[in-house]
Amino acid sequence: MSSASSSPPKVSVVVPVYNPGPHMDELIDSLLHQTMAPGEFEVIFVDDGSTDGTGARLDRLAAEHPHFEVVHIPNSGWPSRPRNLGIERARGRYVQFADNDDWFGAEALQRLYAYAEENGSDVVVGRMAGRGRGVPRELFRKNLPDARPEKSALVDSLTPHKMFRRSFLLDHGLRFPEGRRRLEDHVFVMAAYFAARRISVLADYVCYYHVARPDHSNAGFRAFDPAGYFGNLREALDIVDANTEPGAVRDRLHRRWLRVETVERLSGKRFLDAPEEWRADFFREARALVAERFGPGVAAGLPARQRAAAELLVQDRIDAVRELAAWERAVRARATVSAPSAEEITATGELLSGGSPLTFTHRADGADALAVPVPGIPAEALDVTKALRNAKMDVLARRRGGAEEFFVPSRTSLTRVPDPGDPGGFRTVHTTVARLAPDTLNSGRNAGTWDLKVRINSCGWQRDAPLPLSLLIATDGAPPVLTTPPARPVTVLRLKRAARRRTAALLARLRALV
């Protein structure tokens, strides 16, 4: 079925679909309740050979809603071909991609379109919220009408869930690499970033909700072959290399793939819980990639905890990487709050490792170093002198029952507390004064209960800790009310998790003594 409107729509939403079952309900509901009028946008569902009755369901939906269209194709095995067909089929001035298990904020299409028109944007990155999935954080601190990949955190956002000017995609022949493969979105998005005249970031309203299915059956969570994975990763690096000269800018962009796709996969629970054979394969392929593609300036710009893992990778010490991962797994944040009011709160927090404060060492040469329980890591890899100067603790508000999350305006300071049992040893304590400004939450679309928490960003860690406070915002304009939420029940699962953290920390300490 095709769109009934004769005039081109403002936006074409392209959705690749394969056996989503009920996981597509929220997307459909969000599309039916957009504030942009149905005649101003179209939705193109490309059914990639679904076998669960989804095709017939979409046909019925399109019969009821003229701005919905369904294209049926034989199963291609991955979202790239459906997305490419959607680009070819689209009539809108802009193309917005979505996955069949995610959904949109009610004003998303209207706001993204207006922002693109206001700024003459080829690409607009709308604020994302994650439900069980990680999303960029620093990128969405504020609106950025004109962002560049070499000067912002754009490289942290490489999923395709963005709005693209359709003529821009056609003029540059931008398409997703097809076939069963990984990181196809990295190749597409990086090519778009470099080709775009203007990229804009809309950060003051949650446009897109990125969702993990309860069974983690999303394509991005499936097991993968390390050799093929790093082969696909090299294609994204090729795009960076074709658009930059050797030096600081290229190193900074390359660092994203070393940090996120390589070192982070050697860290914490993700690495420890993987099958041993897969760990060995991944380690081998990662080591080959680092030697082949990343110069020394790439790892040098990583935070200390990730530099340490990268150094152990180069040293070919997979057992030491596992020890470091076990120690890191126990790192968490702790926070308290004092003098709360409906206008302002003061929070204090620090990082812990296995229940004890994370510690550092002030060396004789005047530098500060991260104290880790793994020997043989060069001193320069553990240097945190600059990182501690830049460490911070933000206060955030997260809407209860949803995934919207926003930074609260605040100012932060850091105190070094000497360790009485270790000359030169110290821990760090953060103090943050936050101003509770409800109008900054989701551009004023903020009715509901917002739970407060802190996020400590230090030496490569980003760890959250809840605060015993919630902000209640009424729909009738009444003043916000600060409350203490009910205590969370101590479940068996939480007790087991705490026991695992303590055991991991104890094992790490014992290994350090051997």
Side-chain angles (χ1 to χ4, degrees):
M1 182 174 180
S2 60
S3 174
S5 175
S6 57
S7 58
K10 294 177 178 179
V11 177
S12 297
V13 180
V14 172
V15 187
V17 179
Y18 179 70
N19 285 356
H23 299 292
M24 193 169 59
D25 293 352
E26 288 177 303
L27 172 67
I28 292 172
D29 185 68
S30 72
L31 289 168
L32 291 175
H33 292 90
Q34 287 295 299
T35 54
M36 179 175 276
E40 296 184 327
F41 73 99
E42 64 178 358
V43 183
I44 303 171
F45 295 99
V46 184
D47 178 29
D48 196 31
S50 293
T51 59
D52 65 347
T54 292
R57 178 191 182 187
L58 290 174
D59 287 339
R60 293 192 297 271
L61 192 69
E64 297 172 6
H65 302 280
H67 62 304
F68 284 16
E69 177 182 0
V70 185
V71 179
H72 298 281
I73 64 172
N75 181 250
S76 67
W78 214 248
S80 291
R81 178 154 178 75
R83 289 177 184 141
N84 289 340
L85 290 174
I87 293 172
E88 296 169 11
R89 196 87 170 201
R91 299 182 303 120
R93 183 169 173 81
Y94 296 91
V95 176
Q96 169 72 48
F97 295 103
D99 286 344
N100 59 200
D101 33 28
D102 299 336
W103 77 86
F104 291 99
E107 300 177 23
L109 298 184
Q110 182 179 2
R111 284 174 174 266
L112 288 166
Y113 174 82
Y115 200 62
E117 290 289 278
E118 176 186 349
N119 294 293
S121 313
D122 288 326
V123 184
V124 180
V125 185
R127 186 185 189 97
M128 302 176 72
R131 178 175 286 181
R133 303 194 72 156
V135 297
R137 292 170 169 178
E138 291 302 313
L139 178 61
F140 298 124
R141 277 189 176 269
K142 62 180 181 179
N143 288 347
L144 297 172
D146 189 6
R148 299 303 309 169
E150 64 272 17
K151 295 182 179 180
S152 70
L154 272 174
V155 74
D156 288 341
S157 179
L158 296 182
T159 65
H161 315 116
K162 300 167 176 57
M163 186 172 282
F164 300 85
R165 188 184 298 272
R166 184 168 64 92
S167 60
F168 162 72
L169 297 179
L170 299 179
D171 290 348
H172 292 275
L174 291 168
R175 299 294 187 275
F176 291 88
E178 296 189 7
R180 283 188 73 88
R181 47 160 296 139
R182 290 280 175 168
L183 307 180
E184 78 287 343
D185 45 359
H186 290 204
V187 173
F188 176 86
V189 172
M190 284 308 300
Y193 281 167
F194 282 116
R197 290 168 299 177
R198 174 164 288 199
I199 305 164
S200 301
V201 177
L202 179 63
D204 60 1
Y205 177 83
V206 176
C207 297
Y208 194 85
Y209 294 79
H210 200 27
V211 183
R213 295 183 184 180
D215 59 358
H216 278 191
S217 60
N218 313 67
F221 285 102
R222 297 172 193 160
F224 60 84
D225 168 53
Y229 178 82
F230 283 113
N232 297 152
L233 191 155
R234 286 174 173 87
E235 295 177 50
L237 297 178
D238 288 342
I239 292 176
V240 174
D241 292 354
N243 289 277
T244 60
E245 297 295 329
V249 170
R250 180 180 292 182
D251 285 351
R252 179 181 177 276
L253 294 174
H254 276 192
R255 194 171 297 133
R256 185 256 180 245
W257 284 275
L258 176 59
R259 173 173 53 88
V260 178
E261 309 301 336
T262 309
V263 172
E264 279 300 306
R265 292 185 182 273
L266 297 171
S267 303
K269 185 178 186 298
R270 179 185 295 187
F271 188 64
L272 294 171
D273 290 353
E276 185 174 356
E277 183 178 355
W278 185 92
R279 284 202 306 259
D281 289 345
F282 185 89
F283 188 87
R284 181 182 63 253
E285 295 296 336
R287 190 164 182 266
L289 175 77
V290 170
E292 174 192 332
R293 298 301 296 264
F294 297 137
V298 181
L302 289 173
R305 74 175 186 88
Q306 294 166 335
R307 284 200 308 272
E311 177 62 33
L312 295 174
L313 182 67
V314 171
Q315 293 178 10
D316 197 16
R317 297 173 58 194
I318 188 171
D319 289 341
V321 168
R322 189 161 49 243
E323 288 182 37
L324 188 65
W327 173 73
E328 272 203 287
R329 186 175 187 169
V331 174
R332 63 183 182 87
R334 175 176 65 188
T336 58
V337 67
S338 61
S341 72
E343 292 78 33
E344 187 175 274
I345 64 169
T346 299
T348 302
E350 63 183 319
L351 290 176
L352 307 176
S353 178
S356 299
L358 191 70
T359 57
F360 305 88
T361 300
H362 187 68
R363 301 196 308 239
D365 62 2
D368 296 322
L370 177 66
V372 299
V374 180
I377 301 173
E380 59 269 19
L382 299 175
D383 190 304
V384 292
T385 308
K386 182 178 179 181
L388 290 181
R389 288 199 298 265
N390 296 329
K392 59 188 174 184
M393 184 177 75
D394 290 298
V395 173
L396 295 93
R398 184 180 179 92
R399 196 198 300 261
R400 189 180 299 175
E404 302 98 324
E405 188 175 273
F406 287 85
F407 291 99
V408 175
S410 60
R411 60 186 187 276
T412 184
S413 61
L414 182 143
T415 303
R416 299 156 70 107
V417 180
D419 183 348
D422 179 14
F426 65 96
R427 66 187 227 265
T428 58
V429 177
H430 302 261
T431 301
T432 300
V433 179
R435 179 174 59 85
L436 302 180
D439 288 346
T440 66
L441 303 178
N442 208 32
S443 196
R445 275 61 174 178
N446 56 14
T449 300
W450 295 80
D451 295 319
L452 301 182
K453 64 179 180 178
V454 302
R455 175 169 298 149
I456 297 178
N457 193 330
S458 178
C459 302
W461 282 289
Q462 284 190 346
R463 294 290 189 268
D464 294 357
L467 295 175
L469 295 171
S470 298
L471 192 64
L472 275 62
I473 303 177
T475 57
D476 59 3
V481 177
L482 197 65
T483 67
T484 301
R488 294 173 60 192
V490 179
T491 63
V492 172
L493 179 59
R494 287 176 61 200
L495 290 172
K496 287 182 177 178
R497 287 174 177 168
R500 284 199 298 267
R501 285 196 299 266
R502 289 193 295 269
T503 301
L506 178 60
L507 289 173
R509 289 174 183 165
L510 291 174
R511 292 190 190 101
L513 296 174
V514 175

